[in-house]
Amino acid sequence: MSEENRSFTLDENLKPQVKPENELSESIAVSEKHGSEWLEGVSLVMAISGTTVVVFLMLLDISIVSTAIPQITNQFHSLDDVAWYGSAYTIASASLQPLTGKFYNYFQLKWTFLSFFALFEIGSLICGVANSSKMLILGRAVAGMGSSGMLNGAMNILAAAVPMHKRPTLMGIIMGIAQLGLVSGPLIGGAFTTSSTWRWCFYINLPIGALVGALLIFTRIPEQKPKDKASEVVRSMLLYKFDWVGFVLFAPACIQLLLALQYGGNQYPWKSATVIGLFCGTVATLLVFIAWERHMGRDAMIPGYLLRDRIVVCCCMFSMMIFGMTMILSYYLPIYFQSVRGKSALVSGVNLLPNILCQLVMAVISGLLTGKLGYYLPWGVLGAMLNAVGNGLLSTLSPNTSVPNWAGFQSLVGFGRGAATQVPMIAIQNAVTADEVSTALAIMTCSQTLGGAIFLAVGQVIFAQGLRVKLPQYAPAVDPETVIAAGATGFWDVVSMRVLPGVLTAYAKSVDQVFYLGVGLSVAQFVFAWGVGFKNVVDDKA
């Protein structure tokens, strides 16, 4: 949003209207008062440390299960549920995320953040004690509901803690360390799965979470603007300002879309009444949702005037493409190493180290340099280019790909993700006013996690369809459905050594097809990167 438009607001019909002079004076007074409340010293270190660990655990939870999935599918005989282990988490998170903007806008930042974190911990406990695939999926959904307010909350706390020109450096540190959870999750999950049990992939969140919760409880967190007491919000705003009708419409639309992608080509043909009905239901529900949001105006869960801002839209789409690509890599690289190369879960995690280390290094470097130089757009463009090349090379993986090759391919993607991931988070805060930060961040994180859910489901469809086509082509003597039902590594026990090379080739070719999707998402990143704005945040001393 340009500077000249920041003194404007919109009425319920979304028409431009100049703010009254007394409202402008009040906004200036709030800004001046808030400037004296920026965190420094020990308080800042505690706030940043606590939120960093929380985001670390959230990102760890997304990827740690990836190397455990082959063992889980073997135990529960649930290869067709692979997409749900990630999608149940991300779709629950995405469905709630627009609503979390309302919570952070009206309730105290610290207690709202800790409440979502507590729900995340409950979901982790359910996953840890799960005795069936359905119970595990339920636990992933509950954890996803909790995670819906964690990244958004961390960014809100950062925005309230320091002025804009200091945020890129701190965000680079937060995301660099936190993304270590995303990229090291497969390694940690592999270690747990190999040496103990996959259940520790979820139990690990509980003791660390308790320590972080205790740390944040005793940390002062400032507010971006004055807020009423929680009792006042519940009594006077909860029913009318939180757009519950919008949420009730948005969540089913998301679920129907994912079900259509999940069922299409697997349980039902794409032209079946079930799949077509789900797609039609998605469109119909979204149309009603859009009409309702237009009626709600500024009180909408997803305000229309923000979606007409080019920078906001490009940031949301950029995040969606990055996270969709990230989910694909996090799930299908371990499947390649364990299924095609026959590695253990632990060794599979070790094989992901090139990706882990390169992303960590680039995330920290890009954040620090953005804080020094001020420009974030070049990092988004560079990251998209590296992602496109890296995914293209990953689509050539075979059962005999050499170590230098697959390590180099991963390194390129690691550098690309590290450079690009935080760009939309910085750009969107730089494009909106302080009063709009909570809502804008909620929309962006919703786009991010919805992209992960959708494209992981699409990846599963591509992979499953690829197996059904490639297995008859390279191993005509085996029944494709028997191989698929055996699990991602269980097929080693149900096929003979005579046909195993053909099955491995079919698996590798099917994984390669999923990385074609990664190439497409990277190209889309390159396009949207140019729309995030070119502004020097170092010059913004507000």
Side-chain angles (χ1 to χ4, degrees):
M1 184 179 292
S2 60
E3 289 293 329
E4 60 268 26
N5 290 333
R6 292 194 178 187
S7 61
F8 286 78
T9 185
L10 301 176
D11 62 12
E12 292 184 354
N13 295 318
L14 301 179
K15 297 178 181 179
Q17 191 175 53
V18 180
K19 283 187 177 181
E21 184 177 351
N22 61 335
E23 289 187 24
L24 286 173
S25 300
E26 181 180 349
S27 298
I28 294 171
V30 169
S31 178
E32 290 175 349
K33 179 182 178 182
H34 183 72
S36 64
E37 295 179 354
W38 301 125
L39 293 184
E40 296 179 349
V42 176
S43 296
L44 179 60
V45 171
M46 292 178 67
I48 297 301
S49 298
T51 53
T52 299
V53 175
V54 168
V55 179
F56 172 86
L57 288 178
M58 184 197 79
L59 296 179
L60 178 69
D61 196 62
I62 292 174
S63 65
I64 194 173
V65 72
S66 59
T67 43
I69 280 178
Q71 296 300 322
I72 294 173
T73 61
N74 291 345
Q75 180 172 339
F76 293 142
H77 304 288
S78 56
L79 185 61
D80 283 340
D81 289 339
V82 165
W84 282 109
Y85 298 147
S87 295
Y89 180 97
T90 51
I91 198 63
S93 181
S95 299
L96 276 172
Q97 272 168 345
L99 194 61
T100 65
K102 293 287 187 179
F103 282 95
Y104 283 111
N105 199 36
Y106 292 110
F107 288 105
Q108 299 292 315
L109 288 179
K110 179 170 74 173
W111 299 111
T112 304
F113 185 66
L114 288 174
S115 297
F116 281 112
F117 186 44
L119 187 59
F120 169 80
E121 294 284 275
I122 293 172
S124 298
L125 179 61
I126 294 174
C127 290
V129 301
N131 55 17
S132 69
S133 182
K134 291 181 179 179
M135 186 174 178
L136 179 63
I137 293 171
L138 174 63
R140 295 291 287 165
V142 173
M145 293 170 64
S147 74
S148 66
M150 289 165 60
L151 179 58
N152 184 15
M155 295 299 101
N156 272 281
I157 289 173
L158 178 62
V162 296
M164 184 66 218
H165 65 278
K166 293 184 178 180
R167 292 176 203 169
T169 301
L170 290 176
M171 192 177 298
I173 294 172
I174 291 174
M175 295 309 298
I177 297 174
Q179 285 181 14
L180 183 60
L182 185 65
V183 293
S184 67
L187 176 60
I188 298 174
F192 283 142
T193 303
T194 302
S195 61
S196 179
T197 171
W198 57 264
R199 298 181 187 276
W200 271 104
C201 295
F202 306 105
Y203 288 148
I204 189 177
N205 294 328
L206 303 179
I208 299 176
L211 292 175
V212 173
L215 173 66
L216 289 176
I217 285 175
F218 297 104
T219 301
R220 180 181 72 87
I221 303 295
E223 298 292 333
Q224 292 171 282
K225 63 178 184 179
K227 295 178 180 177
D228 294 330
K229 293 182 179 179
S231 58
E232 287 290 326
V233 175
V234 171
R235 183 169 63 251
S236 62
M237 299 183 184
L238 189 62
L239 184 60
Y240 303 104
K241 293 286 189 179
F242 276 66
D243 192 12
W244 295 105
V245 174
F247 169 70
V248 169
L249 292 170
F250 183 75
C254 293
I255 294 170
Q256 288 179 92
L257 176 60
L258 183 62
L259 285 174
L261 295 172
Q262 173 74 11
Y263 289 156
N266 290 317
Q267 286 91 332
Y268 304 97
W270 285 105
K271 61 182 180 180
S272 69
T274 299
V275 175
I276 294 175
L278 286 169
F279 278 124
C280 291
T282 300
V283 174
T285 310
L286 280 177
L287 290 175
V288 176
F289 170 73
I290 292 170
W292 175 258
E293 295 298 273
R294 183 176 179 83
H295 167 73
M296 290 294 291
R298 289 191 65 87
D299 291 331
M301 187 173 70
I302 303 179
Y305 73 92
L306 283 180
L307 296 183
R308 289 198 292 271
D309 187 297
R310 173 183 57 83
I311 294 178
V312 172
V313 171
C314 287
C315 287
C316 291
M317 296 304 297
F318 192 77
S319 290
M320 176 182 282
M321 301 303 132
I322 289 178
F323 206 68
M325 181 199 72
T326 298
M327 292 295 287
I328 290 170
L329 292 168
S330 297
Y331 277 76
Y332 286 94
L333 277 176
I335 287 179
Y336 166 74
F337 285 119
Q338 294 183 52
S339 300
V340 179
R341 306 301 288 254
K343 305 299 183 181
S344 68
L346 177 58
V347 175
S348 170
V350 172
N351 288 345
L352 297 176
L353 279 175
N355 192 2
I356 294 172
L357 297 177
C358 292
Q359 176 161 348
L360 174 61
V361 170
M362 184 58 83
V364 174
I365 290 176
S366 62
L368 291 173
L369 290 180
T370 300
K372 294 289 185 183
L373 304 177
Y375 294 103
Y376 43 81
L377 185 145
W379 296 106
V381 174
L382 173 64
M385 293 170 63
L386 292 175
N387 287 333
V389 175
N391 277 281
L393 292 172
L394 286 173
S395 70
T396 66
L397 292 176
S398 72
N400 302 314
T401 301
S402 65
V403 174
N405 282 344
W406 59 248
F409 302 163
Q410 287 189 70
S411 298
L412 283 175
V413 180
F415 283 129
R417 286 165 58 192
T421 298
Q422 63 180 312
V423 169
M425 299 178 186
I426 299 171
I428 201 166
Q429 292 183 59
N430 204 40
V432 300
T433 63
D435 287 344
E436 297 165 344
V437 167
S438 295
T439 302
L441 284 173
I443 296 172
M444 190 203 71
T445 52
C446 172
S447 302
Q448 174 177 290
T449 50
L450 186 59
I454 291 174
F455 292 116
L456 184 61
V458 173
Q460 170 64 11
V461 171
I462 294 172
F463 178 65
Q465 288 295 101
L467 279 178
R468 290 184 171 95
V469 173
K470 299 298 182 182
L471 282 170
Q473 183 178 348
Y474 292 97
V478 302
D479 178 20
E481 299 303 325
T482 300
V483 173
I484 293 173
T489 59
F491 72 84
W492 282 73
D493 300 324
V494 299
V495 301
S496 65
M497 294 301 297
R498 180 177 60 85
V499 298
L500 182 60
V503 173
L504 296 180
T505 300
Y507 249 84
K509 295 288 186 181
S510 300
V511 171
D512 290 347
Q513 290 184 343
V514 179
F515 291 133
Y516 293 155
L517 176 60
V519 174
L521 294 176
S522 301
V523 173
Q525 292 168 31
F526 181 80
V527 173
F528 289 116
W530 293 102
V532 301
F534 191 71
K535 181 179 179 182
N536 191 330
V537 297
V538 175
D539 292 339
D540 185 1
K541 301 296 183 181

